[in-house]
Amino acid sequence: MKYLDEYRDERLAHAVVAEIARQTTRPWVLMEICGGQTHTIMRYGLDELLPRGLELVHGPGCPVCVTPLETIDKAIALALRPDVILVSYGDMLRVPGSRSDLFRAKAQGADVRVAYSPTEAVKIARANPARNVVFLAIGFETTAPANAMAAWQARREGLKNFSMLVSHVLVPPAIRALMVSGANRVQGFIAPGHVCTVMGCSEYDSLVRDFRVPIVVGGFEPLDLLESVLMLVRQLEAGEARLENQYVRSVSYAGNVPAQRIMQEVFEVADQKWRGIGMIPLSGLRLRDEYAAYDANRTFDLEELTVEEPAECISAQVLQGLKKPTDCPVFGMRCTPENPLGAPMVSSEGACAAYYHYRRHAVAS
Ligand code: SF4
């Protein structure tokens, strides 16, 4: 398939692997930020092709994994109200909250519907004027423009029965939080190509400068990731720290300016709690005051909750690259995709699910 097969070419991949081995003289720890990149690495066994000492650790870039427990609990509480239709992306339904999940709420009679885009939720609101339609708007900078567009459209139409429960997170503040953490081991980052398709690369300049850490914006196919690793290794071995763009077929320095404009019109930057990690200053988006009528937190006067993670789940360390899923004592035993204890085992982008699906669980069992 054009634009796919050439990025999965085995002969080319082995040539890049050989060049990585030739360039690597010392151990390095690199982090791929995005869960989609983690899945490619696990699926194709890319980490096993790298020279000893060149370690890939997995970052917090799985939107389902970092959505706070409190948001899931609020979504369940809203879904159980008889006047509410709760609309969500499908992979959020199985994410455990503190006591239940949206699937179980649906089994209890809640009107929970799956959508592939937020504009479907707007359509449902138009078709059901007597019900309140709440869209669970989660994700990184990639989903924010479409979610912003749904709020903008609802406001333009004057819809009174549509709102969003927003839990948006931003990548650059998360990288900054990882770098200032005393436990950080990461020496180079593969930044998420899809986020940068929207936001451009420019936001990463200050991270490179402030922390003297190389960052390569990378794609999602095996050759994208191997080339990104090679670019990082070349910089590290030469003692350099620069921002480079491997994913040039999709990412420009400025990004998608119209998408950024709609995000800025509807959302403002705010402090945000990340599941498993905690509060990261200015790392999220919330609806601006002009859009307060579309903010489910305000229209339903939802209480601020604080809930504890299951004690056995080490997803905080997994999401910060401090531990691997197989270090978790319940991985593949008490925690499986069928019975997940934590969000990284639920999501199609979660690191624990990636290790499980691609048979790395043999290590733990
Ligand atoms: S295996 Fe399960 S319990 Fe362990 S860190 Fe992953 S999600 Fe949490």
Side-chain angles (χ1 to χ4, degrees):
M1 190 184 296
K2 185 84 178 139
Y3 302 125
L4 204 51
D5 290 346
E6 53 267 65
Y7 295 100
R8 296 178 181 178
D9 184 299
E10 197 177 332
R11 192 180 49 81
L12 286 175
H14 282 292
V16 180
V17 167
E19 183 59 17
I20 293 170
R22 209 178 63 75
Q23 296 277 339
T24 307
T25 65
R26 282 167 282 172
W28 300 110
V29 178
L30 312 179
M31 173 182 277
E32 82 281 355
I33 291 289
C34 174
Q37 293 168 328
T38 306
H39 271 249
T40 300
I41 289 165
M42 291 298 123
R43 180 175 176 193
Y44 292 92
L46 303 184
D47 54 331
E48 295 175 335
L49 298 174
L50 299 178
R52 277 177 83 82
L54 184 51
E55 186 184 356
L56 294 180
V57 295
H58 321 302
C62 157
V64 173
C65 304
V66 298
T67 300
L69 266 175
E70 290 84 349
T71 304
I72 309 293
D73 282 358
K74 282 181 185 177
I76 293 168
L78 283 170
L80 289 169
R81 288 175 58 129
D83 59 328
V84 166
I85 301 172
L86 194 287
V87 184
S88 167
Y89 297 122
D91 49 1
M92 291 305 292
L93 265 61
R94 292 184 54 243
V95 180
S98 60
R99 286 187 300 276
S100 185
D101 59 42
L102 284 167
F103 253 134
R104 280 183 221 168
K106 193 170 167 60
Q108 284 172 254
D111 194 347
V112 178
R113 303 190 193 180
V114 171
Y116 292 96
S117 92
T119 46
E120 286 180 47
V122 176
K123 270 191 211 158
I124 294 170
R126 270 188 221 119
N128 294 274
R131 312 273 306 279
N132 288 304
V133 174
V134 181
F135 180 66
L136 180 51
I138 68 135
F140 283 86
E141 294 93 326
T142 32
T143 49
N147 290 345
M149 183 57 85
W152 181 87
Q153 181 72 30
R155 184 173 183 235
R156 198 172 78 142
E157 290 181 27
L159 279 179
K160 300 274 185 254
N161 64 330
F162 175 79
S163 62
M164 302 203 302
L165 185 58
V166 175
S167 181
H168 266 301
V169 280
L170 303 172
V171 171
I175 295 182
R176 189 168 288 277
L178 287 172
M179 290 306 294
V180 298
S181 132
N184 176 54
R185 302 170 60 223
V186 180
Q187 294 159 297
F189 289 93
I190 302 175
H194 50 5
V195 165
C196 297
T197 300
V198 175
M199 303 305 291
C201 308
S202 58
E203 294 188 308
Y204 295 81
D205 267 336
S206 62
L207 292 165
V208 169
R209 201 176 48 242
D210 294 351
F211 299 106
R212 269 204 56 75
V213 64
I215 298 180
V216 171
V217 176
F220 299 86
E221 292 299 324
L223 273 160
D224 289 324
L225 288 158
L226 289 173
E227 189 181 17
S228 301
V229 169
L230 177 59
M231 291 162 88
L232 285 173
V233 167
R234 279 193 177 128
Q235 287 198 47
L236 288 163
E237 291 282 345
E240 295 172 353
R242 288 181 284 110
L243 173 64
E244 289 187 281
N245 181 9
Q246 181 277 329
Y247 203 34
V248 286
R249 65 187 185 279
S250 180
V251 173
S252 65
Y253 190 72
N256 182 337
V257 174
Q260 293 166 25
R261 272 200 207 110
I262 187 79
M263 280 170 67
Q264 282 156 13
E265 171 164 342
V266 173
F267 294 124
E268 61 188 0
V269 174
D271 295 347
Q272 171 73 29
K273 187 171 180 187
W274 295 54
R275 183 170 189 172
I277 299 176
M279 189 64 80
I280 302 180
L282 303 178
S283 69
L285 297 173
R286 69 175 172 217
L287 287 159
R288 290 185 180 279
D289 284 346
E290 298 89 305
Y291 285 84
Y294 301 93
D295 183 348
N297 271 308
R298 297 190 240 191
T299 54
F300 290 93
D301 200 17
L302 296 175
E303 266 180 62
E304 280 313 313
L305 308 166
T306 307
V307 251
E308 296 297 322
E309 291 287 335
E312 294 158 300
C313 181
I314 62 160
S315 62
Q317 286 130 296
V318 172
L319 293 168
Q320 295 175 80
L322 303 175
K323 293 210 167 157
K324 297 278 170 67
T326 44
D327 296 327
C328 176
V330 293
F331 173 86
M333 291 182 282
R334 290 221 318 104
C335 182
T336 63
E338 291 72 35
N339 288 300
L341 270 186
M345 190 58 98
V346 178
S347 166
S348 58
E349 293 191 17
C352 299
Y355 272 65
Y356 190 90
H357 285 305
Y358 301 115
R359 294 189 299 280
R360 303 294 174 91
H361 58 293
V363 179
S365 55

